[in-house]
Amino acid sequence: MQRAAASLASSRSAAAWACSSTSRHAIASCSATARRDAVVPLRIRGQQKVPLHSMSLSLLSRRRPARTAKAAAAAAELAPASDEVAAGGGIAGTVQLGAMIVAWYLLNIYFNIYNKQVLQMLPLPLPYTITAFQLAFGSLVIFFMWATKLHPVPKLSAAQLAKIAPLAAGHMLGTVFTNMSLGKVAVSFTHTVKASEPFFTVLLSAFFLGEVPSPLVLGSLVPIVGGVALASLTEVSFNWVGFWSAMASNLLNQTRNVLSKRLLGGEEEEFMDDINLFSVITVLSFLLSLPLMIFAEGVSFSPAFLQSTGLNLQELCVRAALAGLCFHGYQKLSYMILARVSPVTHSVANCVKRVVVIVSSVLFFRTPISPVNALGTGAALAGVYLYSRLKKTKPKSS
């Protein structure tokens, strides 16, 4: 009897120990599971980090259906902490974006000043040659960046090149028309006409991105178009070639921006960061500009031709090089900003930039402006401000 009681007690003790061991292993497994789920993966695109809490949990739950409720609860408790980090990064990102916009404005001011001086020094307008030179300077900077491994060289497929080639053609022709307009009219008038960019942005965003504007947003375009028309009627340096060149540049540049946004937000296998996208567009634009320059203007920009005109070659080359440097810098910053904001926000920031450029060019070149001309310019810029406020208060679609 005593042996049977001892045997029964021994078996109960063993069962209790096994149950305790099993419980400890289950708790440890659950703890390890929670720790694994607590790691929130990040998906990096360009310079943006996007937390994927729900995606990581759903993928892991499909692969391991035996996950317990405690593991999911532990991962959910850690999600707000990650959001706080993202919020802290958002402040730093806002400061960085503001610095980029200021640099974008300054480089654009100096580009317009130097570029206008170069166009005034030439004995005849050479917009295709000036464009090819600016794109060539940018291409040299890009190849230096890739050669020194300051930025990784992109691996392009034939499908990507087919998508980027039209953007490069639009970028090149937009630059040609901008130089053509600057060579015919005042810098302030060119940028007043180009302040109508929101009109083209709304039109192209609706066509390519499916974004339908509200009636109030469409109404804000009226003072923009009306102000540009009023400024055009009273512009002292008005020229039809300069006017339509600025309008064509608007259309081409905004088409490039909207389509570039689609590439920057494309699928992972087709994704390219903002710097490399702009770099590839610049190089392709330069290659496309060469045959157009030779066909339209030949070799008019040769040293022998410039010497025969009595120009100061050293001064011309220095200003052209500075214009090319500022051109490449502000265009690259434009693409970097476009990767962080929507096409409409980018267009609004671009229009605010035009205010700064118009005021700077008027003061630097002492451009005469009549009261009616100033009223038209002010109406266009006020319409841009109204447009930006309406777009900011517009509810986001779910």
Side-chain angles (χ1 to χ4, degrees), residues 54 68 116 143 147-148 196 198 258 272 309:
S54 58
T68 63
K116 182 65 175 180
F143 283 124
T148 55
S196 60
V258 172
M272 184 182 300
T309 59

Side-chain angles (χ1 to χ4, degrees), residues 68-82:
T68 63
K70 292 182 179 180
E77 289 176 359
L78 288 175
S82 179

Side-chain angles (χ1 to χ4, degrees), residues 301-380:
F301 207 67
S302 63
F305 169 77
L306 294 176
Q307 287 180 354
S308 65
T309 59
L311 293 175
N312 187 337
L313 293 182
Q314 182 178 0
E315 182 181 3
L316 178 66
C317 291
V318 169
R319 292 185 180 180
L322 290 173
L325 178 62
C326 294
F327 174 79
H328 177 75
Y330 95 76
Q331 289 282 355
K332 177 172 286 189
L333 283 171
S334 177
Y335 262 81
M336 294 173 67
I337 294 170
L338 179 62
R340 291 161 173 79
V341 299
S342 68
V344 172
T345 303
H346 182 275
S347 178
V348 170
N350 201 24
C351 288
V352 175
K353 177 202 69 181
R354 299 211 186 283
V355 178
V356 181
V357 172
I358 288 172
V359 174
S360 302
S361 64
V362 167
L363 294 177
F364 185 85
F365 293 107
R366 298 179 180 179
T367 305
I369 296 180
S370 65
V372 180
N373 185 277
L375 177 63
T377 302

Side-chain angles (χ1 to χ4, degrees), residues 111 115 127-143 167-176 179 256 278-293 320-321 323-325 327-328 330-331:
F111 162 72
N115 197 41
Y128 297 98
T129 303
I130 294 297
T131 299
F133 180 85
Q134 292 169 350
L135 294 173
F137 191 92
S139 299
L140 290 176
V141 175
I142 290 167
F143 283 124
L167 303 183
H171 178 69
M172 182 268 296
L173 290 175
T175 307
V176 168
N179 287 326
R256 177 204 63 191
F278 169 71
S279 300
V280 173
I281 287 177
T282 300
V283 175
L284 289 179
S285 298
F286 169 65
L287 296 177
L288 292 174
S289 69
L290 287 178
L292 189 61
M293 176 196 70
L325 178 62
F327 174 79
H328 177 75
Y330 95 76
Q331 289 282 355

Side-chain angles (χ1 to χ4, degrees), residues 95-296:
V95 174
Q96 183 184 22
L97 180 62
M100 291 168 60
I101 292 177
V102 171
W104 182 32
Y105 287 4
L106 290 176
L107 288 174
N108 201 282
I109 291 172
Y110 283 108
F111 162 72
N112 281 278
I113 291 176
Y114 289 129
N115 197 41
K116 182 65 175 180
Q117 289 176 339
V118 170
L119 292 171
Q120 288 177 338
M121 292 175 66
L122 295 174
L124 70 162
L126 299 172
Y128 297 98
T129 303
I130 294 297
T131 299
F133 180 85
Q134 292 169 350
L135 294 173
F137 191 92
S139 299
L140 290 176
V141 175
I142 290 167
F143 283 124
F144 175 80
M145 175 188 69
W146 285 339
T148 55
K149 298 182 179 180
L150 294 176
H151 198 78
V153 180
K155 296 180 180 180
L156 296 173
S157 62
Q160 286 178 315
L161 285 175
K163 290 182 178 180
I164 296 176
L167 303 183
H171 178 69
M172 182 268 296
L173 290 175
T175 307
V176 168
F177 283 121
T178 298
N179 287 326
M180 193 177 296
S181 179
L182 290 173
K184 293 292 184 178
V185 296
V187 175
S188 57
F189 179 66
T190 296
H191 285 276
T192 299
V193 175
K194 295 187 74 172
S196 60
E197 278 185 345
F199 173 80
F200 294 97
T201 302
V202 168
L203 182 65
L204 295 171
S205 294
F207 183 77
F208 291 109
L209 303 180
E211 298 179 358
V212 181
S214 66
L216 290 177
V217 170
L218 290 176
S220 68
L221 300 178
V222 175
I224 297 177
V225 177
V228 170
L230 186 61
S232 301
L233 291 175
T234 57
E235 173 61 33
V236 176
S237 65
F238 181 83
N239 179 283
W240 281 111
V241 175
F243 173 80
W244 287 115
S245 297
M247 295 296 288
S249 176
N250 263 351
L251 178 62
L252 290 167
N253 287 335
Q254 290 310 301
T255 302
R256 177 204 63 191
N257 285 350
V258 172
L259 294 180
S260 296
K261 192 66 180 179
R262 294 182 63 180
L263 283 180
L264 287 173
E267 297 297 330
E268 192 68 28
E269 59 271 13
E270 297 181 356
F271 178 75
M272 184 182 300
D273 65 74
D274 47 352
I275 295 179
N276 272 336
L277 177 59
F278 169 71
S279 300
V280 173
I281 287 177
T282 300
V283 175
L284 289 179
S285 298
F286 169 65
L287 296 177
L288 292 174
S289 69
L290 287 178
L292 189 61
M293 176 196 70
I294 295 174
F295 177 79

